[in-house]
């Protein structure tokens, strides 16, 4: 009985299609010059370049500063999740790096864990630290968070100085290198007649983790549902709550994920330096990571990479300016905020030679006072049809494609 | 226990009140600026540091000229330093904060961090990273009150701090300019419509706040005897904590918060030991923020999260 009565109706229902868009949409961008495609190809090429670098020069100095630069990129990507995507100013971010470094340092030197085995504990410790600080304070305004995180950074540093298990003021020494199920970097490896030393192997490991997994992971996270929630909370928390996003949960998740990024980077840092001590985790370093994110462009993956590389490599190139360095950084922070608040490579910036998606103007037929401009649009459309049969691409004066174009650019950003 | 009450208690209270009066002096500037333009002025602690360095130079010159220094000279130097740090505060506001008045708060906060960085490392560039010995050290006999030891300089400094706070209180509550400040704190746009020169009042707020921080810096230099370029960082944090405890944006709250924080620290240090003092303070901050974010005297406003 049900079959007889319901089926025709279901059949009819299934034939209902979604209403067509009122206007024809421009086709999706494709080809090598589509911004998204181009940026990921560029990223891949640069990643491969970083992997091939030891074949060009394997001097310990170059490998060492590049390793720390890439760890720095990872730290900055973690802070970018917190500051750039979720808009939470974290001034004690280096504390999470310290938590990670100390957790893996203590476990490996005093309890005989291998570095790989410490990773779950590092992640757990950072999640815990993030929850302890973020939990109570993220319900408040962001200014409070800024100063609370500053205090938290100091708490971690002072605690590390005063506890016995962290080695006090002299810190922890002799943190081992990574090993995987009995095979350690320290042994080195010989492949095809080329000997890779422990340093070079660790460099590869860092490039892979920091540039590959961390950077791509953070960028992908930002493009997903969670990332969109972060960005909407950053832009307008009330509006996003009205749209059904739990602002507190979104902020807390950004804070905790950022903490995990920092902690894993800290664990890498501990191995790289093989010794850690409280002065490595002063406010100065939090400010420098923030500087990297702000200078490059908050929320922009290429920008943050550029910023992090600049901040970490500048001291090497500016040896003569060692005294001036931090002063210059401070002034730069102010100047960038005043003249270029979105950073060097803003989040929605698209390289000029890449394809642009141009949306046709939206007609405003139903609004009486827009009747006059209706004629203009009709004229412009005629012109368009005459000029190009393909997707309309000619610029139209002042009819509001601007906002839509912005939207498409945002959609296609890296 | 009897011992504790007879010997320690008064000493702890006195130490707490003494340190707390410094905190209160710095917290006032923090709280005033926050109350008026809702900006966390991270550079405020560094102005305190700048105050002690300016006094270091001026006092060094005075000692060089006169051969000796005395309390009246210190007071004169205090006045000069207050004017100079006040001017620097106004300058900072003009250069770094004014262009950003309509930008998102994150941008202004980052700018404030940049300013703080610039001042710290600018001073380091000029004076070097090593601590400097202040040219004037407040000595004087100590006398005991109720089993606690008090020194004359402590009394003098507390009197100065109390006097400054009283003057500020009278200025804000009784004068026309003070009324303008309170009006802007309530609603900047409405006060603009009522003919208040908002820019000028903000500048004046920065001047007063920075002058008070500078005064605290001079007094700290004279009392502790050694200054360095990072001394403002911790004080800035603690002053903020004091402001939060009292209720940020509230004048009396800042004073009360400073004293409460001083007392908390004094007792916390006694129980936990000196090396945990700052940890204790910041833990208090986090606790206070999670339990009562508006502070002791803060109004229960419906705050945008």
């Amino acid at each position: 009985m049900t079959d007889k009565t319901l089926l025709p109706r279901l059949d009819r229902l299934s034939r209902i299609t979604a209403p067509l868009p009122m206007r024809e949409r421009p086709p999706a961008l494709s080809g090598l010059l589509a911004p998204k495609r181009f940026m990921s190809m560029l990223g891949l090429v640069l990643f491969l370049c970083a992997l091939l670098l030891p074949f060009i020069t394997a001097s310990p100095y170059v490998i060492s500063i590049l390793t720390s630069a890439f760890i720095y990129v990872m730290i900055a990507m973690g802070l970018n999740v917190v500051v750039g995507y979720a808009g939470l100013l974290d001034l004690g971010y280096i504390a999470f790096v310290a938590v990670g470094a100390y957790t893996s340092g203590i476990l490996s030197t005093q309890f005989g864990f291998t570095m790989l085995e410490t990773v779950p504990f590092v992640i757990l410790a950072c999640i815990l630290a993030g929850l302890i600080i973020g939990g109570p304070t993220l319900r408040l305004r962001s200014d409070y968070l800024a100063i609370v995180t500053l205090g938290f950074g100091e708490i971690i540093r002072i605690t590390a100085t005063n506890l016995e298990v962290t080695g006090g003021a002299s810190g922890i020494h002799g943190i081992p290198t990574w090993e995987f199920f009995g095979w350690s970097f320290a042994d080195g490896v010989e492949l095809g007649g080329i000997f890779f030393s422990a340093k070079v192997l660790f460099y590869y490991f860092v490039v892979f983790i920091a540039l590959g997994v961390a950077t791509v992971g953070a960028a992908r996270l930002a493009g997903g549902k969670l990332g969109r929630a972060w960005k909407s909370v950053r832009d307008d928390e009330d509006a996003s709550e009205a749209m059904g996003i739990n602002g507190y949960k979104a902020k807390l998740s950004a804070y905790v994920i950022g903490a995990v990024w920092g902690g894993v980077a800290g664990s890498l840092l501990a191995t790289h330096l093989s010794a850690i001590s409280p002065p490595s985790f002063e406010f100065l370093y939090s400010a420098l990571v923030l500087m990297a994110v702000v200078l490059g462009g908050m929320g922009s993956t290429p920008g943050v990479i550029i910023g992090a590389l600049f901040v970490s490599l500048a001291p090497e190139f500016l040896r003569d300016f060692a005294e001036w360095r931090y002063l210059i950084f401070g002034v730069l922070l102010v100047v960038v905020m005043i003249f270029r608040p979105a950073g060097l490579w803003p989040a929605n910036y698209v390289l000029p030679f890449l394809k642009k998606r141009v949306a046709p103007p939206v007609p405003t037929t139903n609004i009486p006072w827009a009747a006059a401009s209706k004629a203009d649009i009709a004229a412009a459309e005629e012109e368009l049809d005459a000029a190009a049969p393909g997707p309309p691409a000619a610029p139209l004066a002042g009819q509001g494609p601007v906002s839509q174009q912005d939207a498409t650019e945002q959609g296609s950003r890296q | 226990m009897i011992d504790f009450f007879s010997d320690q208690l008064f000493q702890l209270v006195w130490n707490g009140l003494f340190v707390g009066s410094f905190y209160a002096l710095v917290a006032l500037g923090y709280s005033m600026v926050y109350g008026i333009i809702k900006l966390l002025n991270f550079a405020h602690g560094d102005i305190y540091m700048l105050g002690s360095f300016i006094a270091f130079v001026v006092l060094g010159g005075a000692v060089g000229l006169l051969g000796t220094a005395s309390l009246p000279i210190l007071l004169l130097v205090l006045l000069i330093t207050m004017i100079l740090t006040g001017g620097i505060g106004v300058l900072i506001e003009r250069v770094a904060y004014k262009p950003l008045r309509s930008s998102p708060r994150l941008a202004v906060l980052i700018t404030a961090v940049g300013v703080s960085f610039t001042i710290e490392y600018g001073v380091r560039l000029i004076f070097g990273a090593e601590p400097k010995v202040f040219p004037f050290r407040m000595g004087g006999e100590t006398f005991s009150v109720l089993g606690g030891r008090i020194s004359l300089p402590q009394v003098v400094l507390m009197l100065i701090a109390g006097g400054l706070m009283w003057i500020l209180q009278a200025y804000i509550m009784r004068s026309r300019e003070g009324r303008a400040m309170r009006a802007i704190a309530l609603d900047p746009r409405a006060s603009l419509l009522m003919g208040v020169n908002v820019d000028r009042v903000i500048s004046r707020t920065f001047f007063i706040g920075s002058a008070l921080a500078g005064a605290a810096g001079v007094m700290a230099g004279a009392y502790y005897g050694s200054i360095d370029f990072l001394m403002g960082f911790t004080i800035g944090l603690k002053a903020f904590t004091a402001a939060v405890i009292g209720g940020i944006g509230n004048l009396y709250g800042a004073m009360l918060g400073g004293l409460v924080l001083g007392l908390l620290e004094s007792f916390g240090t006694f129980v936990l030991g000196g090396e945990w003092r700052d940890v204790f303070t910041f833990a208090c901050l986090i606790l206070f923020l999670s339990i009562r974010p508006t502070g002791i005297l803060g109004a229960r406003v419906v705050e945008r999260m």
Side-chain angles (χ1 to χ4, degrees):
Chain A
M1 177 215 154
T2 42
D3 282 3
K4 274 181 188 168
T5 52
L6 266 181
L7 258 183
R9 285 184 67 192
L10 272 177
D11 199 37
R12 234 184 13 252
L13 278 172
S14 70
R15 265 188 275 116
I16 295 176
T17 48
L20 285 170
M22 311 251 282
R23 303 280 298 173
E24 201 170 320
R25 291 188 187 164
L29 293 169
S30 60
L32 266 182
L33 282 185
K36 209 167 181 173
R37 180 92 179 270
F38 182 82
M39 291 311 293
S40 48
M41 292 306 285
L42 186 70
L44 188 65
V45 168
L46 291 178
F47 180 70
L48 290 178
C49 286
L51 279 182
L52 290 178
L53 191 110
F55 291 103
I56 300 164
T57 168
S59 76
Y61 170 70
V62 173
I63 293 294
S64 175
I65 61 166
L66 279 179
T67 308
S68 44
F70 292 145
I71 293 175
Y72 212 82
V73 169
M74 183 170 178
I75 299 176
M77 285 312 298
L79 186 62
N80 188 35
V81 170
V82 182
V83 180
Y85 296 145
L88 310 163
L89 187 56
D90 187 347
L91 290 178
Y93 188 69
I94 209 75
F96 294 121
V97 180
V99 168
Y102 270 108
T103 309
S104 61
I106 291 168
L107 288 178
S108 62
T109 54
Q110 296 184 12
F111 296 92
F113 283 53
T114 65
M115 286 307 267
L116 188 64
E117 285 161 5
T118 64
V119 169
F121 295 96
V122 165
I123 293 175
L124 261 177
C126 288
I127 290 176
L128 207 66
L131 287 177
I132 289 173
I133 294 309
T137 51
L138 282 174
R139 291 192 188 278
L140 300 160
R141 255 195 323 259
S142 63
D143 322 13
Y144 286 125
L145 181 74
I147 208 114
V148 165
T149 48
L150 194 56
F152 172 63
E154 287 297 288
I155 288 181
I156 293 286
R157 193 174 61 80
I158 299 168
T159 310
T161 317
N162 290 335
L163 285 184
E164 229 168 79
V165 69
T166 54
S170 56
I172 297 174
H173 300 271
I175 297 164
T177 189
W178 288 65
E179 58 175 77
F180 302 92
F181 313 110
W183 175 76
S184 164
F185 282 161
D187 307 336
V189 73
E190 194 167 330
L191 282 177
I194 306 168
F195 179 73
F196 292 93
S197 68
K199 273 216 174 271
V200 174
L201 284 179
F202 183 65
Y203 167 83
Y204 278 127
F205 186 63
V206 167
V207 170
F208 187 71
I209 297 273
L211 288 190
V213 179
T215 307
V216 175
R220 302 282 301 174
L221 216 52
K225 191 178 174 191
L226 190 59
R228 279 176 283 133
W230 293 339
K231 286 174 192 169
S232 71
V233 168
R234 171 196 66 189
D235 291 339
D236 189 335
E237 191 168 345
D238 295 327
S240 66
E241 294 225 321
M243 302 309 287
I245 292 167
N246 185 335
Y248 173 66
K249 272 189 191 163
K251 288 199 281 188
L252 195 59
S253 63
Y255 199 69
V256 168
I257 286 173
V260 169
W261 249 247
V264 175
S267 164
L268 291 177
L269 193 70
T271 309
H272 178 50
L273 303 173
S274 86
I276 45 173
S277 62
S280 321
F281 304 109
E282 277 176 3
F283 170 64
L284 175 69
Y285 299 99
S286 288
L288 286 184
V289 186
L290 180 70
M291 165 96 206
V293 173
V294 168
L295 186 73
M298 283 180 281
S300 141
T301 306
V304 170
I305 294 175
I306 293 169
L309 289 180
F310 171 76
V311 170
S312 60
L313 294 180
E316 302 299 329
F317 297 124
L318 296 174
R319 284 238 174 261
D320 301 338
F321 291 99
E323 289 281 301
W324 289 83
R325 200 163 80 216
Y326 298 127
L327 180 64
I328 293 173
F329 280 164
V331 174
L332 213 54
L333 213 50
V334 178
V335 171
V336 166
M337 271 297 122
I338 292 178
F339 293 105
R340 218 174 153 76
L344 294 176
W345 187 311
N348 52 2
Y349 178 72
V350 176
L351 287 171
F353 54 85
L354 295 180
K355 282 186 187 173
K356 284 207 170 52
R357 221 174 145 182
V358 181
V362 181
T364 49
T365 43
N366 292 334
I367 307 170
W369 46 261
S373 56
K374 212 165 85 178
D376 295 348
I377 292 179
E381 273 183 344
E382 251 173 51
E383 215 173 88
L384 261 180
D385 291 342
L396 288 164
Q399 282 303 330
V402 185
S403 64
Q404 194 156 349
Q405 189 178 337
D406 276 359
T408 51
E409 275 186 9
Q410 282 226 335
S412 66
R413 76 188 176 195
Q414 179 70 349
Chain B
M1 205 62 193
I2 308 286
D3 227 28
F4 171 77
F5 275 111
S6 61
D7 290 348
Q8 302 283 345
L9 187 66
F10 182 77
Q11 187 69 49
L12 287 179
V13 171
W14 174 251
N15 285 350
L17 288 180
F18 176 67
V19 179
S21 64
F22 282 121
Y23 293 161
L25 219 46
V26 185
L28 275 173
Y30 236 127
S31 202
M32 275 166 65
V33 168
Y34 190 88
I36 286 192
I37 53 173
K38 302 279 177 285
L39 159 73
L40 271 189
N41 186 8
F42 275 106
H44 197 69
D46 297 302
I47 287 178
Y48 160 92
M49 178 270 293
L50 216 51
S52 56
F53 270 91
I54 290 173
F56 170 75
V57 173
V58 176
L59 206 59
V63 169
L65 273 178
L66 304 170
T68 149
S70 57
L71 200 61
I73 292 178
L74 182 74
L75 291 183
L76 189 67
V77 170
L78 185 79
L79 203 65
I80 296 171
T81 310
M82 282 175 71
I83 292 169
L84 284 177
T85 51
I88 291 168
V90 173
L91 188 75
I92 290 172
E93 195 266 334
R94 282 283 157 80
V95 173
Y97 300 149
K98 203 175 169 190
L100 286 160
R101 208 165 282 162
S102 56
S103 6
R105 287 170 84 153
L106 194 63
V108 192
L109 276 176
I110 291 168
T111 311
V113 175
V115 171
S116 155
F117 229 55
T118 310
I119 298 179
E120 279 175 14
Y121 287 90
V123 167
R124 192 182 106 153
L125 206 61
I126 299 169
F127 293 98
E130 306 79 35
K132 292 264 176 275
V133 178
F134 209 68
F136 177 79
R137 184 82 196 265
M138 273 189 146
E141 71 273 36
T142 57
F143 43 89
S144 73
V145 180
L146 295 172
R149 291 161 68 80
I150 299 175
S151 69
L152 191 64
Q154 280 185 324
V155 178
V156 172
L157 290 182
M158 266 194 83
L159 283 180
I160 296 174
L164 286 174
M165 283 189 253
W166 186 80
I167 293 171
L168 178 75
Q169 180 275 130
Y171 178 76
I172 301 243
M173 291 302 166
R174 306 250 173 91
S175 77
R176 193 179 155 83
E177 288 86 0
R179 194 164 49 195
M181 280 182 195
R182 285 181 284 145
I184 292 178
L186 273 182
D187 189 341
R189 203 178 292 173
S191 21
L192 191 67
L193 293 178
M194 299 311 285
V196 178
N197 188 339
V198 173
D199 280 338
R200 197 192 291 166
V201 174
I202 291 176
S203 287
R204 197 181 290 137
T205 311
F206 267 87
F207 182 88
I208 297 171
S210 306
L212 289 178
V218 179
M219 294 198 285
Y223 185 71
Y224 296 114
S226 126
I227 54 178
D228 71 286
F229 76 103
L230 280 179
M231 66 192 266
F233 174 68
T234 320
I235 283 285
L237 261 174
K238 289 192 180 170
F240 179 82
T241 309
V244 165
I245 288 179
I248 198 157
N250 184 320
L251 204 64
Y252 299 114
M255 300 180 200
L256 182 69
L259 296 181
V260 169
L261 182 67
L263 288 174
L264 277 176
E265 255 192 35
S266 168
F267 283 94
T269 309
F270 179 75
V271 176
L272 297 170
E275 69 268 28
W276 294 104
R277 192 185 59 181
D278 292 353
V279 172
F280 180 75
T281 309
F282 302 140
C284 278
L285 173 68
I286 295 175
L287 211 66
F288 236 91
L289 278 180
S290 19
I291 295 168
R292 193 178 161 87
T294 47
I296 300 172
L297 293 184
R300 269 246 169 262
V301 280
V302 183
E303 201 70 78
R304 305 225 79 17
M305 295 240 238

